[in-house]
Amino acid sequence: MSLRSVVEKIYLDNTNYSYPSQAVNQASSLNALSADLYTDSKRFIYELLQNADDSSFDNRGVKVWIKIFEKCLVVAHSGKPFSSRDVQGICNVNNGTKKSDLTKTGYKGIGFKSVFGQSENVTIFSNKEYFRFDSSYPFEWKWEDEKCEWEKENDREFQFPWQIIPIYTETEAIDVTINHFLESIDANVATIIQMKNEKETTQAVLNLSQNLNMFLFLKNISEINFDVIELVKIEINRDQKDRITLKNCNSSKSDWLTRTISLTVPEEVKIALQDERNIPEKLLNTDSIEVTLAAKIGNDGINRISEQETLLYSYLPTDERKYSLPVLVNTSFLTTANRESLHADSKWNQWLFKSIAIEIFNWISRLVITEYSFQAYHLIPKEIRYDDLGNKFNEGIKEALERIPFIVTREGKLAKIEDTIVDFTYLSEKKFIGEEPIKKFIHKEIHNEHGHAKQFVENTPFSFEFRRLGSSCFESWILGLS
């Protein structure tokens, strides 16, 4: 079936209401959804980027172009053109093409509706054809009573739910410069948004073009070209295993070391999810989920991210900045409908937070025996004193400390924190004293049957951190004798 046939069929289906009130009720719901859920002026751009990222085919990297033409913002990409199912998906609510596909980042079926919070005239270009959603379109009144009589009797203005009614649009009706632009870049898909607030939207796009980290966890986009006030080209390089480089060709570069883990969903979490509302189908039925951790790489190796960089991702960034973590985290968090925040009371998110803490320590234990060595200890997380998610994260830290060997001993082996000794005096390294007398002394003082099994760690800038986490400290015993 051709795109035109699909669009015209959906047009007929989505204007075929038995009563005017049905159309108005649907329209009111969509108006509220578009305006109220998406308060962030850049959120709709995230949603369009996500759609582009999910459009990859034949393992090809997807290129994206974002350009402003006077009052129109154009977001175009080189991914797959719209199928008939894709058109049906964006003309429905909660019936998208990704809601049961774990390989896709979207799942709520409402992401595209965020565009209508910023525009009342949105045109889709796909495979050299156009259709649009237009609030000012003169939809035909189809009922016996006159429209003005119905509005007077019901004390409300009639409106069709234009956000789900596609209107096939001839190429001649499209701005010539926009059509030429799409031809010149050989785009397969584009969204043309007539901006309601030009200044706000332009500033949002400009800010996005300067923030490299926003694009870190996209799976398939390899290049994003911004043309706002100046040309900005962002390249996303994933050629190296477990390494992502983001480059703004005008100025900056950002390097990240990554680790992706497949977590098996525990049976008790699956059972708990049955009692939660609005759990997406793809999460409710999955047996495993991927979590990706990203550590920042600077000129001196691994760096702990700053509080300003702390952000949680569900492939594209949420607005959650209150959870201070040493790495960036990306996974299928259960978010609010607008994807701006996490549900703190969700058993799914609580399980993820506990797992993330454990996996950070697992990653440290791997990194310390690589060329990164002691730099890995920059990633040691601190407890979060905030809410139920923080409490679960802290539980994960406690469990990790009890069972994960991540401290490098003088013998070059890994030990759990409770089995280590930090010697601030360096006396254990002196031949006239050595390690054994100090081990025996500590064993006696702490009444630990396994005190003899404790191993000395190399003195590093992280010795005080090890002591905080539970390592025995020889300096304190000496001070206690004086």
Side-chain angles (χ1 to χ4, degrees), residues 119-154:
S119 176
E120 294 185 348
N121 189 317
V122 178
T123 301
I124 305 294
F125 166 83
S126 177
N127 204 19
K128 305 188 186 308
E129 293 184 273
Y130 294 89
F131 63 94
R132 75 184 190 276
F133 302 92
D134 185 354
S135 67
S136 65
Y137 186 77
F139 295 102
E140 180 186 356
W141 176 265
K142 298 184 175 183
W143 298 275
E144 291 183 5
D145 294 340
E146 292 293 327
K147 179 182 174 183
C148 58
E149 291 179 3
W150 184 91
E151 290 180 332
K152 183 177 180 180
E153 182 180 340
N154 290 272

Side-chain angles (χ1 to χ4, degrees), residues 275-456:
D275 296 327
E276 291 193 22
R277 295 182 301 168
N278 302 320
I279 302 295
E281 180 183 340
K282 63 163 50 171
L283 300 186
L284 196 60
N285 297 327
T286 187
D287 293 320
S288 63
I289 201 76
E290 280 193 351
V291 174
T292 300
L293 310 177
K296 192 173 187 179
I297 303 296
N299 295 331
D300 54 348
I302 295 176
N303 296 160
R304 189 183 186 92
I305 60 173
S306 66
E307 289 189 8
Q308 291 72 33
E309 292 175 298
T310 298
L311 200 58
L312 294 173
Y313 291 69
S314 191
Y315 297 96
L316 282 162
T318 66
D319 280 344
E320 287 288 15
R321 296 182 180 273
K322 57 180 174 283
Y323 305 104
S324 185
L325 303 178
V327 296
L328 297 183
V329 178
N330 174 58
T331 190
S332 295
F333 288 113
L334 184 60
T335 66
T336 53
N338 58 14
R339 305 198 212 199
E340 292 178 10
S341 57
L342 307 187
H343 290 292
D345 59 348
S346 165
K347 294 295 188 290
W348 174 266
N349 287 342
Q350 290 172 15
W351 165 67
L352 282 174
F353 262 63
K354 181 177 180 179
S355 301
I356 288 163
I358 293 169
E359 292 305 328
I360 290 174
F361 279 99
N362 276 327
W363 196 20
I364 293 170
S365 73
R366 289 171 173 264
L367 290 173
V368 292
I369 56 174
T370 68
E371 70 272 21
Y372 294 105
S373 187
F374 298 138
Q375 297 170 19
Y377 295 131
H378 283 298
L379 306 184
I380 293 174
K382 291 181 170 53
E383 291 189 344
I384 299 173
R385 303 295 181 187
Y386 195 77
D387 55 16
D388 288 342
L389 296 183
N391 292 337
K392 285 295 179 181
F393 187 81
N394 299 342
E395 283 184 24
I397 291 177
K398 182 180 178 182
E399 183 176 321
L401 292 175
E402 290 174 352
R403 66 178 179 83
I404 298 173
F406 68 98
I407 305 295
V408 178
T409 67
R410 287 179 182 170
E411 289 74 27
K413 298 179 179 180
L414 293 178
K416 292 183 288 186
I417 193 72
E418 67 176 3
D419 295 331
T420 60
I421 305 170
V422 178
D423 178 13
F424 288 101
T425 70
Y426 298 92
L427 289 175
S428 61
E429 299 177 13
K430 308 300 181 183
K431 290 184 179 180
F432 64 88
I433 292 184
E435 294 183 357
E436 288 308 313
I438 295 175
K439 286 183 181 181
K440 290 178 181 179
F441 177 76
I442 290 177
H443 166 57
K444 178 181 177 182
E445 288 295 318
I446 64 178
H447 308 291
N448 183 350
E449 293 180 2
H450 303 289
H452 64 279
K454 287 181 177 285
Q455 300 296 313
F456 286 91

Side-chain angles (χ1 to χ4, degrees), residues 14 16 134 157 171 184 209 255 264 310 422 443:
N14 288 5
N16 187 25
D134 185 354
E157 182 181 354
T171 302
S184 70
S209 71
D255 282 320
T264 300
T310 298
V422 178
H443 166 57

